[in-house]
C-alpha cells in the first residue's frame, strides 16, 4: 500500500473482500442499480455511448473502504475501474486525492456514479470512525487485548453488510452480523420468560449446542454471576457506571476466568477512557454504524482532450 505526505497506511492488510458471498454481492448491487434507474434514462440518452474515462476523487480526510462493492457496481455496467490506492488507504489532510480511474461508455459511468459514491462515502465513514475508536482505545491503554466492536444498529436491509465490512477495514469487530449468528439474551428476552436468566440460558444452550455462543445482557453483578454460572459465554455489562463496571469486571474475571465481558451503553470516544481496563474484553458502540460522518468523494468524467 502506497503512502505519501498526505496519507498513511497500515503495514499489515487483510483482503476482507474474500468474506463477501459473490452471489449475494451481485444481487445487492443489481437491486441498488435498479432502485436508481427503474425506467428510462434520459440523461444517459443525452450523453451517448462513447467511451470515456472518469477520475474518482477523495476530498476529505478518512479511510478508503468499500472497494469490492464499488467494483461490482461498475462491473455490472461493463466499466473498468483501476484503483490507485489500496483498501484501507488513509488520507490525513484535506488535499484532494485521485484514488481511482473508471473507464466505460459514458452513459454507463453516469448510471453507476451515485450508487458507487453512496456506497463508498458511507463505508469509508464507518471505517474512519472505527479506526479512530480503535486508535483512541489503544492510546488510552496500549496493553489492552480487547476489541472495539459495532452493534446491530445498522441500516436495515442489505446495506448493513457494507457497514459491517467498513468496521473490519477500520480495525474494529463486527459483533454479531444478525440474529442467527449468536444468541444474545437481552432484558426483553429475560422478562418474557418469567425473569429467569438461568432458565433462559439453559434453553438457549440446548438449542445452540457447542457451535454458537450465548451472551446475556446484565444490569447488575448478581445478574452477570447468574448468567455465567448458567453457562453464558459472554456477559454484557449494560449502562454501568464506569467505576462500578471496572470493579465488577475484575470480580467476574476472578470467578470466571474464561468469561468474556462486554461493556456497552452510551460509551463515546470521549468517555472510553473511563471504561477501558484489562478485565473488559469488548467495548461495543452503536454510533460506529449509526452516527458516522460520510467521507466526501466525487467522480469527474474527463473531456476527450484531457484523456490524451
Amino acid at each position: 500500500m502506497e503512502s505519501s505526505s498526505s496519507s498513511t497506511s497500515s503495514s499489515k492488510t487483510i483482503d476482507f473482500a474474500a468474506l463477501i458471498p459473490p452471489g449475494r454481492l451481485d444481487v445487492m448491487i443489481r437491486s441498488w442499480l435498479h432502485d436508481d434507474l427503474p425506467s428510462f434514462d434520459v440523461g444517459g440518452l443525452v450523453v451517448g455511448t462513447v467511451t470515456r474515462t472518469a477520475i474518482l476523487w477523495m476530498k476529505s480526510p478518512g479511510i478508503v473502504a468499500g472497494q469490492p462493492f464499488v467494483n461490482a457496481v461498475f462491473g455490472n455496467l461493463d466499466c473498468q475501474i483501476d484503483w490507485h490506492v489500496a483498501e484501507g488507504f488513509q488520507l490525513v489532510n484535506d488535499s484532494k486525492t485521485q484514488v481511482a480511474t473508471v473507464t466505460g461508455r459514458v452513459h454507463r459511468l453516469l448510471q453507476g456514479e451515485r450508487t458507487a459514491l453512496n456506497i463508498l462515502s458511507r463505508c469509508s465513514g464507518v471505517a474512519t470512525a472505527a479506526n479512530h475508536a480503535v486508535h483512541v482505545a489503544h492510546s488510552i491503554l496500549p496493553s489492552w487485548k480487547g476489541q472495539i466492536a459495532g452493534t446491530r444498529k445498522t441500516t436495515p436491509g442489505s446495506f448493513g453488510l457494507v457497514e459491517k465490512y467498513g468496521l473490519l477495514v477500520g480495525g474494529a469487530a463486527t459483533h454479531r452480523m444478525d440474529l442467527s449468528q449468536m444468541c444474545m439474551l437481552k432484558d426483553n428476552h429475560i422478562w418474557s420468560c418469567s425473569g429467569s436468566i438461568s432458565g433462559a440460558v439453559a434453553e438457549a444452550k440446548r438449542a445452540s449446542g457447542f457451535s454458537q455462543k450465548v451472551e446475556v445482557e446484565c444490569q447488575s453483578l448478581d445478574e452477570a454471576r447468574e448468567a455465567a454460572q448458567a453457562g453464558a459465554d459472554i456477559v454484557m455489562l449494560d449502562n454501568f457506571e464506569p467505576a462500578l463496571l471496572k470493579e465488577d469486571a475484575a470480580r467476574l474475571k476472578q470467578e470466571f476466568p474464561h468469561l468474556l465481558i462486554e461493556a456497552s451503553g452510551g460509551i463515546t470516544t470521549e468517555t472510553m477512557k473511563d471504561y477501558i481496563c484489562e478485565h473488559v474484553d469488548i467495548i461495543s458502540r452503536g454510533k460506529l454504524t449509526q452516527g458516522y460522518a460520510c467521507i466526501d468523494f466525487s467522480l469527474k468524467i474527463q473531456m476527450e482532450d484531457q484523456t490524451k
Side-chain angles (χ1 to χ4, degrees), residues 58-103:
M58 185 177 189
K59 301 191 295 183
S60 62
I63 289 175
V64 172
Q67 290 184 2
F69 304 98
V70 175
N71 292 346
V73 168
F74 288 115
N76 267 275
L77 295 167
D78 298 319
C79 299
Q80 174 65 44
I81 184 166
D82 295 304
W83 291 95
H84 310 315
V85 300
E87 189 83 303
F89 168 90
Q90 183 174 15
L91 184 67
V92 297
N93 58 34
D94 289 314
S95 63
K96 184 177 175 182
T97 299
Q98 182 176 329
V99 294
T101 54
V102 192
T103 303

Side-chain angles (χ1 to χ4, degrees), residues 205-225:
K205 295 292 276 187
R206 275 197 298 271
S208 298
F210 65 86
S211 63
Q212 190 177 42
K213 288 183 178 179
V214 173
E215 179 171 9
V216 180
E217 180 184 86
C218 302
Q219 313 298 323
S220 68
L221 176 61
D222 287 343
E223 288 187 356
R225 279 178 170 145

Side-chain angles (χ1 to χ4, degrees), residues 40-266:
F40 287 149
D41 179 13
V42 177
L45 174 69
V46 171
V47 300
T49 61
V50 67
T51 297
R52 287 277 189 267
T53 295
I55 296 177
L56 179 59
W57 295 97
M58 185 177 189
K59 301 191 295 183
S60 62
I63 289 175
V64 172
Q67 290 184 2
F69 304 98
V70 175
N71 292 346
V73 168
F74 288 115
N76 267 275
L77 295 167
D78 298 319
C79 299
Q80 174 65 44
I81 184 166
D82 295 304
W83 291 95
H84 310 315
V85 300
E87 189 83 303
F89 168 90
Q90 183 174 15
L91 184 67
V92 297
N93 58 34
D94 289 314
S95 63
K96 184 177 175 182
T97 299
Q98 182 176 329
V99 294
T101 54
V102 192
T103 303
R105 294 184 183 275
V106 66
H107 70 304
R108 295 300 193 193
L109 292 173
L110 294 176
Q111 287 169 2
E113 175 188 14
R114 180 44 52 196
T115 299
L117 293 177
N118 284 347
I119 294 169
L120 188 62
S121 64
R122 286 161 173 76
C123 191
S124 297
V126 172
T128 301
N131 184 263
H132 179 61
V134 170
H135 175 77
V136 169
H138 289 288
S139 67
I140 294 168
L141 187 61
S143 61
W144 189 53
K145 305 299 184 184
Q147 298 183 73
I148 300 296
T151 67
R152 278 203 314 119
K153 295 177 182 177
T154 56
T155 301
S158 54
F159 199 82
L161 184 71
V162 178
E163 291 165 331
K164 291 286 194 178
Y165 175 89
L167 288 171
L168 291 173
V169 175
T174 62
H175 213 292
R176 58 178 179 162
M177 299 291 288
D178 47 53
L179 287 172
S180 297
Q181 191 176 45
M182 178 177 72
C183 175
M184 181 185 289
L185 300 173
K186 299 174 73 69
D187 50 7
N188 282 326
H189 294 91
I190 305 302
W191 296 335
S192 298
C193 58
S194 304
S196 172
I197 290 176
S198 298
V201 171
E203 193 162 344
K205 295 292 276 187
R206 275 197 298 271
S208 298
F210 65 86
S211 63
Q212 190 177 42
K213 288 183 178 179
V214 173
E215 179 171 9
V216 180
E217 180 184 86
C218 302
Q219 313 298 323
S220 68
L221 176 61
D222 287 343
E223 288 187 356
R225 279 178 170 145
E226 182 181 352
Q229 288 166 351
D233 304 285
I234 310 166
V235 295
M236 175 196 290
L237 304 184
D238 190 41
N239 290 307
F240 277 51
E241 289 298 319
L244 182 61
L245 181 139
K246 289 181 176 180
E247 180 180 325
D248 288 352
R251 288 179 178 176
L252 288 167
K253 281 292 188 181
Q254 185 174 21
E255 295 174 28
F256 310 97
H258 300 296
L259 183 70
L260 291 177
I261 298 174
E262 175 180 347
S264 188

